[in-house]
Amino acid sequence: VALIDGRKAKARLIGSDPETDLAVLKIDLKNLPAMTFGQSEQIRVGDVVLAVGNPFGVGQSVTMGIVSALSRSGVGINTFEDFIQTDAAVNPGNSGGALTDTSGNLIGINTAIYSRSGGSLGIGFAIPIHTARYIMEKIIQSGSVTRGWLGVSMQDLTTELVESFDLESLSGALIASVLKDGPADKAGIKPGDILIAIDEKYLKNSSEMLNQVAALSPGDTVTITVIRSKQEKSFPVRVGVRPKQR
């Protein structure tokens, strides 16, 4: 790790979470500067943000832009996605750098760009700091992140699927498969069910479902609501532990 004051130190890996592309590192140096955590859940589209990093290895740089969108998912980078999208220039070398508000409070970790050339095209993605902080605290406490798991694979509903199942809306997620002897299988959930709610909290798509399930505590019992044969059915499911991803 190279600091802006010229000091360098070898970092020790405390733990990592491949599904969010985050890791916690520790360096043993004194008088380290610290950032203040911002409120990433309170930012709005149009807010001015600053991206800090080392683009193309030229040295620490800051670029300015706005928040272009919130809760971006389906980007295909991580398993769990809830990105802040920004047009602040983010280039190779910015990944892992800070996304801050105009007061310098940390609101995100720059992680990726959409680009056909390798350079910035004005679409960058950052992991919100409320997500990163949760992952950081879990890793520091136990060395890893434990998530809830139902033992199903899900896919978003399409217009064709809505018509074939004779549903009223696109909200929910189709359960494509159920792992034998997994939590959902033991509860009686079957492939072809349309999962629409967890503990009466209705969700829009498979990405929301995945994040909601992951936030559940293993061992707890939750009520899963599905549509089967045009009728709503509820099943109590004992949440399992999501298998570690490599």
Side-chain angles (χ1 to χ4, degrees):
V1 174
L3 303 183
I4 198 168
D5 62 11
R7 289 185 293 168
K8 294 183 180 180
K10 287 188 176 181
R12 180 163 57 93
L13 178 67
I14 302 300
S16 64
D17 182 46
E19 294 192 291
T20 55
D21 196 28
L22 291 167
V24 175
L25 305 177
K26 183 176 182 179
I27 58 175
D28 295 315
L29 288 177
K30 295 182 179 180
N31 301 316
L32 290 172
M35 292 192 74
T36 302
F37 286 114
Q39 301 294 323
S40 54
E41 292 169 300
Q42 296 181 8
I43 62 173
R44 297 288 182 269
V45 173
D47 286 353
V48 175
V49 290
L50 307 173
V52 183
N54 183 12
F56 302 108
V58 298
Q60 183 165 303
S61 302
V62 180
T63 55
M64 184 178 77
I66 63 168
V67 173
S68 305
L70 296 168
S71 298
R72 281 286 194 234
S73 61
V75 179
I77 302 169
N78 303 331
T79 304
F80 299 98
E81 297 182 337
D82 183 27
F83 293 123
I84 301 168
Q85 183 183 320
T86 177
D87 68 349
V90 174
N91 289 291
N94 277 105
S95 295
L99 186 73
T100 79
D101 59 23
T102 53
S103 297
N105 299 312
L106 184 63
I107 59 171
I109 307 293
N110 302 321
T111 188
I113 59 173
Y114 175 84
S115 176
R116 292 193 173 108
S117 63
S120 175
L121 293 180
I123 299 180
F125 301 101
I127 300 168
I129 199 57
H130 68 269
T131 298
R133 186 174 187 174
Y134 171 81
I135 299 298
M136 177 193 76
E137 290 172 348
K138 289 292 184 182
I139 288 175
I140 290 173
Q141 288 169 9
S142 61
S144 62
V145 181
T146 301
R147 295 184 170 91
W149 180 66
L150 297 181
V152 301
S153 64
M154 297 176 287
Q155 67 182 71
D156 286 336
L157 293 174
T158 62
T159 303
E160 292 78 12
L161 285 172
V162 168
E163 290 176 355
S164 65
F165 283 99
D166 196 20
L167 302 173
E168 294 181 358
S169 73
L170 281 165
S171 294
L174 172 66
I175 296 178
S177 63
V178 178
L179 183 70
K180 183 176 175 57
D181 294 328
D185 184 43
K186 291 177 180 178
I189 293 173
K190 299 178 180 179
D193 288 345
I194 309 297
L195 201 162
I196 59 173
I198 299 172
D199 279 344
E200 298 185 354
K201 181 179 180 181
Y202 288 81
L203 302 171
K204 297 177 182 177
N205 51 44
S206 60
S207 178
E208 280 195 11
M209 294 288 181
L210 185 63
N211 288 325
Q212 181 70 15
V213 169
L216 298 173
S217 299
D220 287 356
T221 298
V222 296
T223 300
I224 302 297
T225 304
V226 304
I227 295 176
R228 180 186 296 174
S229 301
K230 301 181 184 179
Q231 293 183 331
E232 284 194 15
K233 296 180 178 291
S234 294
F235 299 86
V237 181
R238 192 168 188 268
V239 180
V241 177
R242 183 176 174 82
K244 300 295 181 185
Q245 304 295 306
R246 295 187 64 81

